[in-house]
Amino acid sequence: MKTHQNRCLLYNQGLMPYVDAHAWQRSLLTERINDPSLDDVLILLEHPPVYTLGQGASAEFLKFEIDKSKYDVHRVERGGEVTYHCPGQLVGYPILNLQRYRKDLHWYLRQLEEVLIRVLAIYGLQGERIPAFTGVWLQGRKIAAIGIKVSRWITMHGFALNVCPDMTGFERIVPCGISDKPVGSLVEWIPGITCQEVRSDVASSFAEVFGVELVEL
C-alpha cells in the first residue's frame, strides 16, 4: 500500500474563455515536460459558449459552416470529435504525470469515467459506460464527454460534465460524432442543481480515484 500520496494542485476557476484555459494548460504541460517533479494539477472551470474539434475531427459533424459562423470554434490537439462547452457545464482539465500512476492511456480514460460515475452515484444516479465509446451515459443519454492529449506521459484536456447547461448549443453539432445517442444533463434528473455544488463532488471523487491529496490554490 502506498503511504505517500501525490499532491495535486486544485484550481477552482469560474468562467474562463476557452483560448485562455487552453494557453494555461499548454504552459502547465510545458513546465512539467521540462521538470517532471512538479505537482500534478486539476483545473475545474466553465467556458463561455464554444465549439472545439479534436485533432482528426470531421467538420461534417458541425451543422454550420466554420468559416461563415458567428460561433466560437477551435481545432485543438485532443483526441475525439466535435464537442460543445458552455456555462452550466463543469469542465475538468487534469495535468497529470502518468508515470506516477500507470503509463496506459486506456486506463487513464477509464479512470476519468470512473470519477464521473462516482459523482453521479453521490446523487443516487447510475452512470454507465458504453464499451465502444469514451464518456459517461445516464439512462441512454450522454452526460459527460472526455477527450485527452498526452505528451511524454503528461496529460492535458480532460472531461466535461453537463450539469445545467443551455442544451440548444448541442443542436448545432453531432456531439462526439455520435448521431444516435442524445446528450443529457444532470438538471433533468436533479432540478435546480448547479455547477457550484457539483465541483466539490468532482474534486473529492477525483482525489479518491487517483489517490491524490488535493491542495486548493
Side-chain angles (χ1 to χ4, degrees):
M1 177 71 194
K2 279 201 308 184
T3 48
H4 172 70
Q5 279 193 314
N6 290 322
R7 268 171 39 119
C8 181
L9 310 178
L10 173 63
Y11 290 97
N12 252 316
Q13 302 290 308
L15 197 63
M16 181 181 282
Y18 188 82
V19 285
D20 296 352
H22 187 232
W24 185 18
Q25 286 186 76
R26 290 183 73 142
S27 71
L28 290 169
L29 176 85
T30 303
E31 284 169 8
R32 280 151 184 78
I33 285 174
N34 294 332
D35 181 0
S37 72
L38 290 173
D39 286 327
D40 291 330
V41 170
L42 172 62
I43 300 170
L44 294 177
L45 47 66
E46 296 172 61
H47 287 308
V50 61
Y51 293 94
T52 75
L53 294 100
Q55 251 177 338
S58 167
E60 73 187 64
F61 294 126
L62 292 172
K63 296 178 183 173
F64 56 87
E65 287 187 58
I66 277 196
D67 43 2
K68 294 189 184 132
S69 106
K70 58 182 189 290
Y71 309 118
D72 196 12
V73 184
H74 300 276
R75 188 179 284 278
V76 292
E77 65 282 76
R78 66 169 170 79
E81 288 293 341
V82 61
T83 192
Y84 176 63
H85 301 300
C86 65
Q89 181 194 69
L90 187 63
V91 177
Y93 294 130
I95 314 291
L96 303 188
N97 184 343
L98 290 183
Q99 308 208 51
R100 294 180 182 143
Y101 304 90
R102 193 184 292 185
K103 297 201 285 190
D104 180 335
L105 300 192
H106 289 285
W107 173 84
Y108 177 57
L109 290 168
R110 303 294 81 77
Q111 297 302 98
L112 293 181
E113 290 168 349
E114 180 63 25
V115 169
L116 298 165
I117 286 169
R118 290 188 189 198
V119 169
L120 296 176
I122 292 169
Y123 295 94
L125 298 170
Q126 191 171 0
E128 292 164 343
R129 294 179 172 93
I130 297 182
F133 300 108
T134 297
V136 177
W137 277 260
L138 192 51
Q139 295 175 16
R141 301 168 79 95
K142 189 170 192 180
I143 197 109
I146 294 173
I148 63 166
K149 163 74 176 170
V150 178
S151 307
R152 298 207 203 155
W153 295 110
I154 296 169
T155 68
M156 67 179 287
H157 297 290
F159 57 85
L161 174 65
N162 293 335
V163 180
C164 54
D166 173 357
M167 300 297 281
T168 53
F170 287 100
E171 294 166 10
R172 301 184 199 106
I173 59 170
V174 179
C176 306
I178 306 168
S179 55
D180 59 344
K181 292 185 174 53
V183 283
S185 68
L186 263 179
V187 75
E188 297 168 49
W189 285 268
I190 308 162
I193 196 165
T194 64
C195 282
Q196 203 44 46
E197 50 192 298
V198 176
R199 276 170 186 266
S200 56
D201 299 321
V202 169
S204 57
S205 297
F206 184 89
E208 227 172 67
V209 168
F210 286 96
V212 294
E213 177 204 348
L214 284 179
V215 179
E216 184 159 359
L217 296 177

